[in-house]
Amino acid sequence: MSESEYMYVAVKELEVTIDIYVWNIVERWMKAMEKLEKVIVENGITYVLGADNLYYPDLRLPKGTDYPIGKFGYMRCEHLKKFKHGYYMELLLDGKLNEYLHDVDEECHEMLDRIVEQMKKKQGLTEKLKAENQMLWVRKIKTFGFVVKSKLRRNPNFLL
């Protein structure tokens, strides 16, 4: 056998040895992963084993705080995530985020209605005009809503 053939055989044997070694490590790791508990509790927090074999906290909303959140609530949530991340995380971890966003959404709708009413008074939109020329009245009301909502989109804190 020539020297190059001897080297080729030696390298192949080394590759097989390395493959067997790696396979044994993988096999031991897989057995260890099978022994992991699906749910653990530490410091009063429940953790659930994910598909990637990492534990994630099992965070759920406290009972009675599952409120519907509207457009303004979602806008405020995005604003908090981007610009006030610490406050967002505090609300989230305390279980108060959903209630806060619901309250913000309700406040924004109330404020929007109040602003539209003020604009109606300022522009002289009355029930008499509504009875006389409905199309003009509806067009002006829609315009008021559009103006206020566009201000809100440009500045999420406009109504807060």
Side-chain angles (χ1 to χ4, degrees):
M1 184 182 290
S2 70
E3 187 177 328
S4 64
E5 290 174 334
Y6 178 74
M7 291 293 285
Y8 178 77
V9 169
V11 167
K12 283 296 178 188
E13 287 177 358
L14 183 61
E15 285 177 358
V16 169
T17 305
I18 290 173
D19 286 345
I20 291 171
Y21 179 72
V22 169
W23 179 251
N24 286 338
I25 291 174
V26 169
E27 201 172 65
R28 281 186 292 189
W29 179 80
M30 290 176 70
K31 284 181 183 177
M33 290 296 115
E34 288 173 2
K35 294 178 185 176
L36 289 176
E37 296 179 34
K38 301 294 179 200
V39 176
I40 60 172
V41 178
E42 275 188 24
N43 299 326
I45 301 173
T46 305
Y47 294 90
V48 179
L49 185 65
D52 54 358
N53 293 321
L54 294 175
Y55 285 103
Y56 295 98
D58 188 20
L59 301 175
R60 297 174 191 253
L61 287 173
K63 291 182 180 176
T65 60
D66 189 18
Y67 302 109
I69 300 171
K71 176 175 80 170
F72 300 120
Y74 283 112
M75 289 173 68
R76 182 63 178 171
C77 184
E78 291 302 315
H79 178 77
L80 288 175
K81 283 181 188 176
K82 286 182 183 176
F83 302 108
K84 297 185 177 191
H85 192 72
Y87 185 57
Y88 168 78
M89 291 304 294
E90 179 183 336
L91 289 170
L92 180 66
L93 294 175
D94 288 344
K96 298 177 182 176
L97 179 65
N98 200 359
E99 182 179 0
Y100 172 77
L101 295 176
H102 176 72
D103 291 343
V104 165
D105 191 59
E106 284 185 344
E107 287 176 30
C108 286
H109 280 290
E110 290 170 8
M111 181 74 78
L112 189 66
D113 292 341
R114 214 171 22 248
I115 291 172
V116 168
E117 287 298 320
Q118 290 171 358
M119 292 175 85
K120 279 171 43 177
K121 285 180 185 174
K122 190 175 183 181
Q123 294 291 325
L125 291 179
T126 61
E127 291 298 317
K128 182 181 176 190
L129 178 63
K130 183 178 180 182
E132 291 174 359
N133 191 347
Q134 267 189 339
M135 293 305 288
L136 176 65
W137 188 85
V138 168
R139 186 172 59 236
K140 289 198 178 228
I141 293 295
K142 294 282 185 187
T143 303
F144 296 158
F146 176 75
V147 167
V148 173
K149 287 178 183 176
S150 65
K151 283 184 180 181
L152 179 64
R153 279 189 208 101
R154 280 183 268 136
N155 181 5
N157 292 322
F158 173 67
L159 293 176
L160 303 176

